[in-house]
Amino acid sequence: MFEFGRELRRIMGQGGRYEPDVSLYELMNLELLITQGRGLDIEGGRVSTRSRFEPYLESALVWREYARRTGDTLALRKATTAAEAAGKASKTLSEAASAALVQAEICLLGYDLFETVELLTSAETLVATGRSAVEADAHLMAAYTLAEGRLAARLAVRQGVGEDLEPALLAMAHIDRAIERFDGLVRQTKAAKDKIHAADARLERADLLMLVGLDRHDSRLMSAVIRDLSALRARLDPDYEPVTFVRVTQRLALAHVWAGQIDGEPRMISEGLSLLTPSEEVVVYEHAPLDWVAQTHFRALGLQALSELVSEDALAEQALNAFDLALSKSLAKPLAIRAHIVNNRAACLARRAELKGDLLSLDDAEAAFKAELRQIKPGEDPVGWAILQTNLGRLYVARGDITGFMLDRAEAAYALEAAHEIFVEHGLKSLAQTALENLSRVRAENEHE
């Protein structure tokens, strides 16, 4: 069915330029994506293939989608290889620009999955290389504008969105222009792929707005996200756009949770939790594993936020169960989402222990952090190591708050000083500030001795 659809669009496509229909991938399970990717690789490698650019370009997109859903490093490499092959097989400036764009998008995905900073530099080079050839192509112009916005947004977050708003505003300007251009294409073509691209652009804007709002404790930005994503969700059909529908629903729910946290409104958090707990799953784990894990993780965060707001320990227990459920799935250790879940679970244990004055829970959290630290090599993942050290230092501070004295001051100071140096070195201002605040508390304890 999908092969036929691809060929039909190729024959009856727009103005001769080949552009794969990414909306078809929404309905493909993982097995179909693998079959499609392998078939395209074979087609691209045949001597008899008239144009190798087309199968290689679509192969890159298929393997990229598989990698995005699973975090599979082999699929990411396959996507990169296919995109590079498409670039070599390109015969026009437009084709070369399309291949460069897909390579840049793969680099951005790799950064999102594994937080490998070097990939941002590669993406920046690829976007700059292909950007000059897209002035006459409306679809490529919109796609490149979005890629520029995505790249700028990630660079802004690395610098700390709360410290200096200029990088975030620059990223937002690119994303807004991309939304405007994709919306225009949707009105003009009514094409499903343009609808998906427009939705992706709005998700990028929502992510950035929520990060700024969370950093600045501004619920008005969360409200803006809620309005935008509610309207977008109403325009999506979960039967034909299930993956995008789920991603939009997740961000919408998270905006509710964070707005509730900022304003102290349990009702708002409960609305977010209801979105994350549908009566029937739109996308099952086997169709999109990382999306399923993300939804479970977000539900855990919502339950934790609600438990702290209403002082209900049973909700904290449910949050821990949700964290455990997310971690029960097979997640590669280098994946950023796995580190975030481990950290948030331990932070939930620590916060629960603080509220209850429960040293046993703190011991459990400490054991979880140290177990994770044993799996990370500082030289290979310095930022991940520093985040764990920061959380470990926070546990020692929490133990001091409960007992009235801190037996682990030396360990806490070491962990927080090392983490602070790494965050400063990598330009992560918000994380550096968090580590410094906890370090100041440890030093204050030493001065009182």
Side-chain angles (χ1 to χ4, degrees):
M1 177 180 68
F2 297 105
E3 293 252 350
F4 172 74
R6 178 166 59 87
E7 293 301 323
L8 188 64
R9 283 168 175 77
R10 182 180 299 180
I11 294 167
M12 303 180 67
Q14 307 146 11
R17 188 177 72 80
Y18 175 61
E19 185 178 3
D21 188 351
V22 296
S23 67
L24 291 177
Y25 307 156
E26 298 267 324
L27 302 176
M28 292 173 135
N29 60 26
L30 298 181
E31 288 186 8
L32 275 173
L33 286 172
I34 290 173
T35 301
Q36 187 82 341
R38 287 174 177 169
L40 289 162
D41 288 339
I42 292 171
E43 183 182 346
R46 285 198 189 105
V47 177
S48 60
T49 300
R50 184 171 55 183
S51 172
R52 296 187 180 188
F53 167 78
E54 296 176 2
Y56 278 139
L57 185 72
E58 185 164 3
S59 171
L61 293 175
V62 169
W63 288 120
R64 186 193 67 179
E65 176 64 13
Y66 185 90
R68 197 213 63 77
R69 290 194 209 172
T70 64
D72 188 293
T73 54
L74 178 59
L76 204 62
R77 287 197 294 271
K78 284 178 176 286
T80 302
T81 300
E84 290 173 350
K88 293 175 182 177
S90 62
K91 297 177 181 178
T92 66
L93 287 176
S94 179
E95 288 182 349
S98 295
L101 174 64
V102 172
Q103 289 181 63
E105 290 173 339
I106 293 167
C107 289
L108 291 172
L109 172 61
Y111 174 78
D112 290 343
L113 290 174
F114 305 107
E115 295 186 353
T116 306
V117 180
E118 292 77 12
L119 290 174
L120 291 181
T121 304
S122 298
E124 193 169 16
T125 300
L126 288 162
V127 169
T129 299
R131 185 70 169 79
S132 59
V134 304
E135 297 296 334
D137 190 307
H139 285 85
L140 269 178
M141 176 68 76
Y144 262 95
T145 304
L146 178 56
E148 289 171 331
R150 294 181 66 205
L151 176 61
R154 281 145 186 78
L155 292 171
V157 171
R158 283 188 57 77
Q159 294 176 25
V161 291
E163 300 291 331
D164 180 6
L165 274 181
E166 283 303 315
L169 291 173
L170 174 64
M172 194 66 68
H174 285 303
I175 295 170
D176 283 342
R177 281 197 296 273
I179 290 172
E180 182 180 352
R181 285 169 175 164
F182 278 124
D183 283 350
L185 289 170
V186 170
R187 290 190 295 269
Q188 178 184 342
T189 68
K190 311 297 182 185
K193 60 178 172 45
D194 291 332
K195 185 178 178 183
I196 297 299
H197 291 319
D200 285 343
R202 280 188 161 80
L203 285 174
E204 288 292 336
R205 182 168 66 184
D207 284 344
L208 187 54
L209 280 174
M210 285 194 291
L211 285 174
V212 175
L214 190 65
D215 194 84
R216 298 198 161 213
H217 301 281
D218 190 342
S219 63
R220 293 172 300 177
L221 295 179
M222 303 299 175
S223 297
V225 170
I226 289 170
R227 287 192 299 272
D228 191 33
L229 294 189
S230 294
L232 173 59
R233 186 171 182 263
R235 296 194 296 270
L236 294 170
D237 188 335
D239 291 331
Y240 293 96
E241 297 137 348
V243 178
T244 299
F245 182 86
V246 164
R247 293 177 199 163
V248 170
T249 301
Q250 290 173 357
R251 302 315 201 288
L252 178 60
L254 204 55
H256 277 89
V257 169
W258 284 345
Q261 274 187 295
I262 293 169
D263 291 339
E265 291 188 10
R267 178 189 58 80
M268 184 68 78
I269 298 177
S270 296
E271 288 182 20
L273 285 170
S274 67
L275 288 167
L276 294 168
T277 317
S279 56
E280 183 177 350
E281 286 186 308
V282 175
V283 171
V284 297
Y285 175 81
E286 290 73 17
H287 191 86
L290 288 188
D291 289 308
W292 186 94
V293 168
Q295 182 148 324
T296 307
H297 181 208
F298 292 161
R299 185 163 68 247
L301 292 175
L303 288 165
Q304 180 186 353
L306 188 59
S307 72
E308 293 184 17
L309 203 55
V310 302
S311 301
E312 178 56 63
D313 188 61
L315 290 170
E317 184 67 27
Q318 291 179 38
L320 288 172
N321 290 337
F323 283 126
D324 289 338
L325 180 59
L327 289 171
S328 70
K329 301 302 181 181
S330 180
L331 294 172
K333 288 178 182 177
L335 281 172
I337 190 173
R338 183 182 183 276
H340 290 314
I341 296 170
V342 170
N343 290 338
N344 288 333
R345 182 188 183 279
C348 180
L349 276 170
R351 183 58 179 156
R352 188 184 183 202
E354 288 174 350
L355 294 173
K356 294 173 63 181
D358 182 1
L359 291 175
L360 289 177
S361 294
L362 274 180
D363 290 340
D364 289 342
E366 182 181 357
F369 276 131
K370 287 185 174 179
E372 189 68 14
L373 271 172
R374 285 193 289 271
Q375 305 296 324
I376 291 181
K377 296 180 180 179
E380 296 178 1
D381 184 11
V383 174
W385 182 85
I387 290 173
L388 284 171
Q389 290 286 15
T390 301
N391 285 327
L392 191 58
R394 182 177 180 272
L395 288 185
Y396 296 142
V397 171
R399 184 178 283 120
D401 289 341
I402 293 172
T403 61
F405 55 93
M406 195 183 301
L407 293 175
D408 307 298
R409 282 192 298 270
E411 288 188 61
Y414 166 76
L416 292 166
E417 284 175 357
H420 180 259
E421 288 178 6
I422 289 173
F423 293 145
V424 170
E425 180 183 345
H426 286 78
L428 302 172
K429 296 180 181 179
S430 296
L431 290 174
Q433 183 62 33
T434 299
L436 187 60
E437 288 172 359
N438 282 313
L439 181 59
S440 298
R441 291 184 63 185
V442 174
R443 288 171 173 167
E445 288 285 336
N446 285 331
E447 292 174 0
H448 289 313
E449 286 288 315

